[in-house]
Amino acid sequence: MKTRFVSFNSIAVLVLLVIAWSAPSAHSEPRDPAWMLSIAKSAYFHLAVRGKLKADAPSADPQRTGKAFAVGPNMLVTSQHNLGSPDDWEKKKDPSIPVEITRALQPLDREIVLNRNSAEPSISGLTNPTVLPTPAYTIDAAGLLLPNLNLKTYFQLSFCPIQTDGSYYAIMTSGDSKSASSVDNPVVAKLKAVGYKPEEFGGLYEFSAEEPILFAKDRNGHDGSPILAGDGSVVAIVSAVNLETGGRYRILATPVQPFFSVASSILSRTIDESSVSENANEPLKCSLSEAVDRIEKEVAAHAVWSLKVSREENGAPKDEIYFSYESISDKPNIDHIDVYFNFVGENRLEGGVRNRNELVTIPVPADANSKKYFTLTPTVDDDHRFATSKIVRLGREVIESQFAQEGFGGYIEYVELTIYPFLKNKRQLNKRVLQFNWTEVPK
């Protein structure tokens, strides 16, 4: 592959243009509940925790249940209180483990078991993940790292602010929410954002569950579930389900924030576009990472196009013409181009009427050009170049042949070419207009 260079000025202009265009985009297309449940089927887990608590632990319950959800190939999120503080649990004593390893690991007498929908392919390694707690245990969120896990589908985190009175959606379960089999029956519960009440709930955000109530009416077993915005991204994690006086269900949740335990790991991760989940094509919504990623993609999507036309000795164009582009993208990113064309010149109509000094678009007979454009893909030897002989041959064999007929006359002054590039992800870029003179006087 050839090494390609783009001038500093070209890059500077592109960057300035992209920064000007890179204001936060409008909300993504809304997702329906069926789509949300399709992600939950693979990326929503039941969590069971059991072990030996210290005598002075705040909670006397050595067995806890809740939920967790995937935010990366091997990263899950749950509520911190499902796991408890390391200070809550007795240290695990195993004489078979060398002392130096015990000092390093500081193992707890605690077992964490994860289960997902039984209809999904079974996966190993869902026991005792590495716990990534938040710096402060007043933040009810924690990450679970399973190094050998490689999920293809997972949820997308969002740093977008929660909109008061806005509609949101919690993935929860029907049936016995404390059972591992509950994830076989996920439901989408519609919520209304109420707001913060620091004097009552500290840093938790209050949501109100709207009718009908589809989730299991149990205070336990739901904590750690994701709350989604309309576009399917996660804005908060369920911390508590509370039944108010009057029968209304209140959902208290921990909003996703930059100090959230797994966020730094996700922010620092380079996106592998070949394996990223279809629903998680941005690392973090409303984050600096998202903005940088968007700018990078926009700059890479801009290409500087050129046109090469070889000439015969008399200055007429040779059959093959070449479109090529320069881009700062590391890899060739143009999949194909659609080429529209116009022959412009002087057309002397039948009957001897001559349009003097008036260049017009010369019509192409319908039988010679049934389509107004054609599609080109990169050449075999250069993936930044596109070649065609159709245009020159059409001009020579059809247009000029028509001029040579008795009663006609004229000439082609230049050819105008409008190209529409398409990226490999099928996105269409802005059109580019190029042109070349039909005949050039030999030097």
Side-chain angles (χ1 to χ4, degrees):
M1 183 181 296
K2 296 180 181 178
T3 302
R4 297 183 174 272
F5 301 92
V6 180
S7 72
F8 175 81
N9 287 339
S10 297
I11 294 175
V13 170
L14 288 176
V15 171
L16 289 173
L17 286 173
V18 171
I19 291 175
W21 293 339
S22 62
S25 58
H27 294 297
S28 303
E29 289 297 317
R31 301 289 192 176
D32 59 32
W35 182 91
M36 296 177 184
L37 291 175
S38 71
I39 303 303
K41 187 177 180 181
S42 300
Y44 185 48
F45 294 77
H46 180 79
L47 176 90
V49 181
R50 55 180 176 267
K52 186 175 181 181
L53 289 167
K54 291 181 178 179
D56 59 350
S59 173
D61 187 0
Q63 297 189 32
R64 307 169 187 187
T65 59
K67 298 296 184 286
F69 58 96
V71 294
N74 60 3
M75 187 82 71
L76 274 60
V77 172
T78 188
S79 293
Q80 175 63 51
H81 73 263
N82 286 335
L83 308 173
S85 163
D87 295 333
D88 295 346
W89 305 92
E90 294 284 359
K91 299 295 183 183
K92 187 175 183 179
K93 299 176 182 178
D94 189 342
S96 65
I97 302 177
V99 174
E100 60 273 20
I101 295 179
T102 300
R103 281 200 304 262
L105 293 178
Q106 300 185 46
L108 302 177
D109 195 344
R110 175 185 65 184
E111 183 182 36
I112 301 171
V113 179
L114 294 156
N115 294 91
R116 70 171 181 171
N117 193 303
S118 61
E120 288 293 287
S122 61
I123 48 179
S124 58
L126 293 181
T127 301
N128 292 331
T130 300
V131 177
L132 306 175
T134 49
Y137 284 100
T138 53
I139 302 169
D140 191 27
L144 301 173
L145 177 64
L146 297 105
N148 296 323
L149 197 61
N150 186 24
L151 296 174
K152 301 300 182 184
T153 301
Y154 41 86
F155 289 96
Q156 172 192 5
L157 290 179
S158 171
F159 283 171
C160 300
I162 299 171
Q163 302 296 324
T164 303
D165 293 329
S167 293
Y168 292 87
Y169 308 87
I171 303 293
M172 302 172 78
T173 57
S174 59
D176 184 358
S177 57
K178 298 186 291 298
S179 169
S181 63
S182 61
V183 287
D184 289 348
N185 300 291
V187 295
V188 175
K190 188 173 182 180
L191 311 178
K192 182 178 180 180
V194 176
Y196 287 105
K197 295 180 180 178
E199 66 284 357
E200 294 184 63
F201 309 125
L204 299 180
Y205 195 101
E206 181 182 0
F207 293 84
S208 175
E210 297 188 355
E211 298 289 345
I213 302 300
L214 302 176
F215 56 87
K217 299 175 181 179
D218 193 318
R219 292 179 299 172
N220 301 307
H222 296 298
D223 301 355
S225 295
I227 295 178
L228 315 179
D231 64 358
S233 59
V234 180
V235 298
I237 305 97
V238 173
S239 290
V241 177
N242 173 242
L243 179 61
E244 295 185 87
T245 303
R248 185 177 76 94
Y249 278 87
R250 172 194 289 137
I251 309 293
L252 299 176
T254 299
V256 174
Q257 297 291 343
F259 46 73
F260 188 90
S261 62
V262 300
S264 59
S265 174
I266 296 173
L267 280 167
S268 64
R269 189 174 67 233
T270 299
I271 300 300
D272 179 1
E273 294 187 358
S274 64
S275 62
V276 72
S277 175
E278 177 185 354
N279 57 293
N281 55 3
E282 297 168 344
L284 287 165
K285 288 187 65 63
C286 299
S287 69
L288 177 61
S289 175
E290 180 200 13
V292 171
D293 188 61
R294 185 172 62 248
I295 290 173
E296 183 181 70
K297 287 181 178 179
E298 287 296 330
V299 171
H302 286 75
V304 178
W305 288 88
S306 60
L307 178 65
K308 180 180 178 181
V309 181
S310 298
R311 299 286 174 176
E312 303 286 359
E313 290 185 2
N314 64 358
K318 290 184 176 181
D319 283 359
E320 207 82 8
I321 66 172
Y322 299 92
F323 303 90
S324 60
Y325 71 95
E326 303 287 353
S327 170
I328 65 171
S329 176
D330 292 336
K331 300 177 182 179
N333 58 351
I334 305 295
D335 179 74
H336 68 274
I337 59 175
D338 287 346
V339 182
Y340 292 74
F341 55 89
N342 283 311
F343 293 92
V344 180
E346 185 176 292
N347 188 19
R348 301 168 191 172
L349 304 178
E350 187 174 5
V353 179
R354 181 174 179 175
N355 301 318
R356 291 182 178 277
N357 302 320
E358 183 180 346
L359 297 181
V360 296
T361 298
I362 301 168
V364 179
D367 58 347
N369 179 40
S370 58
K371 288 182 66 176
K372 296 190 177 185
Y373 73 94
F374 53 88
T375 299
L376 299 179
T377 55
T379 60
V380 175
D381 60 332
D382 189 342
D383 43 25
H384 284 75
R385 187 170 68 165
F386 304 78
T388 181
S389 61
K390 292 181 179 180
I391 294 169
V392 173
R393 291 175 61 185
L394 187 63
R396 182 182 300 123
E397 298 172 6
V398 177
I399 304 296
E400 290 189 325
S401 293
Q402 179 178 267
F403 288 158
Q405 294 177 22
E406 185 177 354
F408 283 81
Y411 62 89
I412 302 171
E413 179 74 17
Y414 65 89
V415 180
E416 182 181 80
L417 302 163
T418 303
I419 60 173
Y420 291 85
F422 289 81
L423 296 177
K424 292 185 181 295
N425 64 7
K426 309 306 180 187
R427 174 185 168 192
Q428 179 182 321
L429 303 182
N430 291 335
K431 68 179 181 181
R432 296 290 185 268
V433 180
L434 305 170
Q435 67 180 46
F436 69 93
N437 291 333
W438 186 251
T439 302
E440 289 190 351
V441 178
K443 294 180 180 179

